[in-house]
Amino acid sequence: MRESYFSESNPYAIVARGDCTFEEKLSIALESNAKGLIIYNTLYGIYQDRLFASSSDYDCDNGNGYVDKIISPVYGTEMDATMPTSCTQNSNCASGKCVIANFTGVSLSDGYKVCCMWDLYITMGRDASSSLANAEIPVVFITMGDMEKLQAITNNSSLELIEVMIFNRPDPFIYLPTIIIYIIAVLTLSISSYYLGKREIINVIVDNKHYQTLSDSKQTTIHPSLSTDSNDEIHVGHAIMFVIYCAVLLTLMYFFNLKAIVTVIYVVFSSIACAMVVFHPFLSFLWSHVSDNILAISSSMVKYYILTANSPLFAFSVFLSHLLMFSWYFHRDSWWAWLMQDLAGMCVCFLCLSVIRLPNLKVLSVLLCLAFVYDVFFVFISPFIFSSSIMEKVASSSSDTAYLTTGDENYCEKYPDDQDFCSDDSLPMLFTVPSFSYYSGETILGLGDVILPGFLAVWAARYDFLEFGDCVDWSVVSDLWSVWSWWKVFVEPSQGFFWLVVQAYMVGLLLANVAVIVFQTGQPALLYIVPCSLGVVLYRAHRTGKLSDLWLHLPATQTNSLDKNEEQECLLNTNEQSHSTPASILEAKKLIIPITSSMNNYTSYQNHNIEENNLL
């Protein structure tokens, strides 16, 4: 904490708020060798050479009255003495000062209306480029009430000099919420895409009834849904319509207050995501453990019924997830609400990445490039078309929106009960971390900044598993602090695409955070993430000569297969064994249960009875 003393050897300049700007006052104070600058609010600063005050400087609901005439100057003590007590002594008028209201276009039959004046602290130099933002000496603003207290001390004391101390809280060198958001985003993208890429290869093997245990079977080429366009994959037209839909929705939310509706819809959707990603797999694991080791239930059909998506266990999972999210909804102003919101955000990212698949680099390039333009337009270009940045207004909390809408930075200090502007209800489709300090506000990152690059990471994981059997060189991961291990990922094509995309995402997100610090304003994260991640993928694909093929589809893979008779015989034996062997199908140690496909894959597991070591 920095301290600055006002003493005879360390003089401060105390000046009134008036015509000249704060920057001009600072310049004069520096020329006078002042060691600090104190600017106090005045009636002259409120009127600004007008006969009436600005509407943002008074509120008639806090006290009002009428005066018969205007005495020049309007900010003088003589005019101030004529203010009616119905205004100055109103219990709601905290300042005890009244100013002439804007009478333009108002009938003056009853005289000139006066209203209670706001006497609040203001920010000098909101613009980071302002000289006040990096002043060489301490500069503070005090209210008229504060100045009257100082004057009272000097009037009632024989002292000719008052010694004061100004405290300035230092900015933290490392901002913890930014680090936490960074870690959450990187882990969500990398773990989700790795798991989904691996799971999809397993599902291909299961769905095509290929058993790795029969290594002497003939070779055949699989062209699964991974390598061709399927119904659940999106195409170029879908990508274009998706971005247009998001742009229209964001614009509507700028002009209309749809946050309540969007929040409720998101609560329902995220509840389903939490049920499928967290609660149902966890409860399924617990039930399998309890049924095998405690209850000793031997019927696989009973356990199959309990674990499937249409079972009471899944219904109970949905109930718990809805209970969690609605608890967040009704207590989202609590200190712990951000934890639940971020958990739901991770589940939503995982569910979106598991449901939507992008088949090739062409669709990925179109989607990410359009998202790049979308992000830049609504953050940087929209203020030139509209009154403010659409993205900042929609994504920020209501208190920030109040300033962007009204231009009054003290609006929520004046009207804290205004739910439209002053409730802390930012959109929930965000990762958010509070400041953890005396600073108000929070650090946020949109879910789209994880989901959209996540599509590329999932595609890269699918490719690496098809091409190399794994998507991570664990020798490189174990040596993260080695510069060569990071450079190796970029220069060696044998490393594949997945780890390259993860590292590029980390670099892009880091650049976005650095830009926020440098420019002192919010940044569109995709402005940095898309060139880093998509750029390196296209470069490596071109360098390895695979760009033309990967532009249209993923490669096919070679695996072992059974002929028709062998397959049918094996399936019949498997089905017979599944009824005679207790819990042979649903044992947790023998099965890989994909988190979000628990509704789809139990039938295939029951039919195939595949052990985990065969799938891995």
Side-chain angles (χ1 to χ4, degrees):
M1 178 175 293
R2 291 180 294 175
E3 300 177 351
S4 182
Y5 293 93
F6 173 34
S7 60
E8 186 173 3
S9 61
N10 195 30
Y12 273 33
I14 301 181
V15 298
R17 180 186 179 188
D19 288 333
C20 60
T21 65
F22 295 127
E23 287 82 358
E24 291 172 337
K25 295 179 187 297
L26 173 61
S27 177
I28 295 173
L30 291 173
E31 292 176 0
S32 303
N33 295 321
K35 302 302 182 180
L37 176 61
I38 300 176
I39 304 173
Y40 62 92
N41 200 10
T42 63
L43 287 173
Y44 180 73
I46 295 292
Y47 282 108
Q48 295 287 331
D49 287 334
R50 299 179 301 242
L51 293 179
F52 52 85
S54 172
S55 59
S56 62
D57 289 325
Y58 61 83
D59 189 342
C60 295
D61 291 335
N62 291 339
N64 63 81
Y66 291 88
V67 294
D68 297 330
K69 60 181 180 178
I70 295 178
I71 303 175
S72 182
V74 291
Y75 52 84
T77 56
E78 188 176 353
M79 183 69 212
D80 189 38
T82 64
M83 293 296 170
T85 56
S86 61
C87 179
T88 57
Q89 297 182 12
N90 191 299
S91 59
N92 295 323
C93 188
S95 66
K97 296 284 186 180
C98 293
V99 291
I100 301 172
N102 187 350
F103 52 79
T104 304
V106 179
S107 175
L108 302 178
S109 58
D110 295 331
Y112 298 94
K113 188 173 184 178
V114 296
C115 298
C116 178
M117 184 198 74
W118 292 109
D119 186 21
L120 303 173
Y121 299 101
I122 62 175
T123 302
M124 299 176 293
R126 290 184 65 94
D127 189 354
S129 62
S130 169
S131 61
L132 289 163
N134 299 291
E136 299 176 8
I137 59 175
V139 182
V140 296
F141 182 90
I142 62 176
T143 65
M144 278 187 274
D146 295 332
M147 189 60 192
E148 289 175 355
K149 293 177 182 178
L150 289 176
Q151 290 175 338
I153 295 175
T154 57
N155 292 336
N156 298 327
S157 173
S158 59
L159 296 176
E160 297 181 357
L161 185 68
I162 301 176
E163 184 172 304
V164 298
M165 184 187 301
I166 296 177
F167 294 94
N168 182 27
R169 289 171 172 152
D171 294 329
F173 178 73
I174 299 177
Y175 194 49
L176 182 60
T178 301
I179 299 175
I180 296 175
I181 284 279
Y182 184 85
I183 294 174
I184 290 175
V186 172
L187 290 181
T188 301
L189 177 134
S190 56
I191 295 175
S192 299
S193 53
Y194 177 86
Y195 176 84
L196 293 171
K198 184 174 184 178
R199 189 200 68 181
E200 190 161 343
I201 299 301
I202 294 173
N203 288 344
V204 168
I205 297 174
V206 172
D207 293 339
N208 289 275
K209 304 177 179 66
H210 292 288
Y211 292 82
Q212 296 180 356
T213 55
L214 300 177
S215 58
D216 55 346
S217 299
K218 62 183 180 181
Q219 288 284 329
T220 185
T221 300
I222 297 178
H223 292 278
S225 58
L226 292 171
S227 58
T228 59
D229 293 345
S230 60
N231 293 332
D232 57 348
E233 292 177 333
I234 67 173
H235 309 297
V236 172
H238 300 142
I240 296 174
M241 292 305 300
F242 171 76
V243 176
I244 293 176
Y245 167 79
C246 291
V248 172
L249 179 61
L250 193 67
T251 305
L252 288 175
M253 294 182 65
Y254 177 80
F255 289 104
F256 305 100
N257 189 3
L258 304 177
K259 285 188 177 181
I261 298 175
V262 173
T263 300
V264 171
I265 295 174
Y266 178 79
V267 166
V268 175
F269 178 75
S270 58
S271 298
I272 298 173
C274 289
M276 300 180 69
V277 177
V278 177
F279 287 102
H280 190 225
F282 178 71
L283 294 177
S284 299
F285 171 78
L286 288 182
W287 171 255
S288 299
H289 179 75
V290 171
S291 61
D292 290 344
N293 301 327
I294 300 178
L295 301 180
I297 298 177
S298 60
S299 173
S300 59
M301 294 303 296
V302 172
K303 288 190 286 185
Y304 172 75
Y305 170 73
I306 293 296
L307 291 173
T308 51
N310 296 324
S311 69
L313 190 63
F314 186 78
F316 184 61
S317 301
V318 173
F319 169 76
L320 289 179
S321 62
H322 277 79
L323 183 64
L324 175 74
M325 290 310 300
F326 278 100
S327 297
W328 167 84
Y329 179 78
F330 291 109
H331 299 88
R332 56 186 184 276
D333 292 332
S334 302
W335 66 267
W336 44 264
W338 70 276
L339 295 170
M340 301 171 65
Q341 181 173 337
D342 290 351
L343 173 63
M346 288 186 281
C347 294
V348 168
C349 291
F350 190 98
L351 185 60
C352 290
L353 294 176
S354 66
V355 171
I356 303 173
R357 295 186 301 175
L358 278 69
N360 50 51
L361 277 179
K362 179 174 71 173
V363 178
L364 280 164
S365 299
V366 171
L367 178 61
L368 291 177
C369 289
L370 288 177
F372 173 89
V373 175
Y374 165 92
D375 230 15
V376 172
F377 174 82
F378 284 109
V379 174
F380 291 143
I381 302 178
S382 62
F384 297 101
I385 303 175
F386 306 93
S387 59
S388 59
S389 170
I390 291 181
M391 185 72 76
E392 288 185 11
K393 178 181 176 182
V394 173
S396 60
S397 62
S398 294
S399 57
D400 295 327
T401 304
Y403 171 72
L404 294 173
T405 303
T406 65
D408 185 359
E409 65 172 315
N410 293 319
Y411 183 87
C412 289
E413 185 177 356
K414 298 173 182 176
Y415 312 107
D417 297 329
D418 188 338
Q419 295 300 311
D420 292 333
F421 285 122
C422 300
S423 61
D424 190 14
D425 59 345
S426 57
L427 282 177
M429 292 86 73
L430 305 164
F431 290 117
T432 178
V433 178
S435 63
F436 298 126
S437 68
Y438 45 81
Y439 285 105
S440 61
E442 55 195 6
T443 301
I444 62 175
L445 180 70
L447 298 187
D449 297 326
V450 177
I451 294 175
L452 292 174
F455 290 139
L456 181 63
V458 171
W459 175 90
R462 292 161 64 192
Y463 171 85
D464 287 359
F465 271 112
L466 285 170
E467 192 74 10
F468 307 109
D470 202 347
C471 62
V472 175
D473 185 349
W474 295 104
S475 63
V476 175
V477 177
S478 62
D479 194 18
L480 286 178
W481 298 109
S482 171
V483 177
W484 164 244
S485 66
W486 282 69
W487 179 247
K488 179 181 177 183
V489 174
F490 283 94
V491 299
E492 292 191 10
S494 61
Q495 297 296 320
F497 288 100
F498 173 75
W499 191 236
L500 178 69
V501 172
V502 171
Q503 288 193 1
Y505 179 79
M506 294 170 66
V507 172
L509 189 57
L510 179 62
L511 291 176
N513 284 292
V514 171
V516 171
I517 298 173
V518 172
F519 297 107
Q520 291 295 302
T521 184
Q523 297 290 314
L526 294 181
L527 171 63
Y528 307 91
I529 294 173
V530 170
C532 289
S533 56
L534 182 61
V536 296
V537 168
L538 293 177
Y539 171 76
R540 170 162 291 180
H542 172 73
R543 184 169 175 233
T544 56
K546 299 178 181 179
L547 181 59
S548 58
D549 293 332
L550 295 178
W551 189 256
L552 300 177
H553 55 76
L554 281 168
T557 185
Q558 297 288 333
T559 187
N560 297 321
S561 66
L562 301 173
D563 59 36
K564 191 73 174 179
N565 294 331
E566 290 174 330
E567 186 178 283
Q568 290 179 352
E569 181 179 356
C570 185
L571 287 176
L572 288 174
N573 294 335
T574 300
N575 287 333
E576 292 175 0
Q577 294 174 1
S578 66
H579 293 288
S580 59
T581 304
S584 60
I585 305 168
L586 300 173
E587 289 182 0
K589 294 181 181 180
K590 292 186 177 181
L591 287 178
I592 297 179
I593 302 177
I595 293 178
T596 60
S597 348
S598 56
M599 296 186 295
N600 302 323
N601 295 327
Y602 277 108
T603 303
S604 61
Y605 289 133
Q606 187 179 19
N607 289 338
H608 303 311
N609 193 22
I610 298 180
E611 294 186 356
E612 180 180 9
N613 57 353
N614 292 332
L615 295 178
L616 295 178

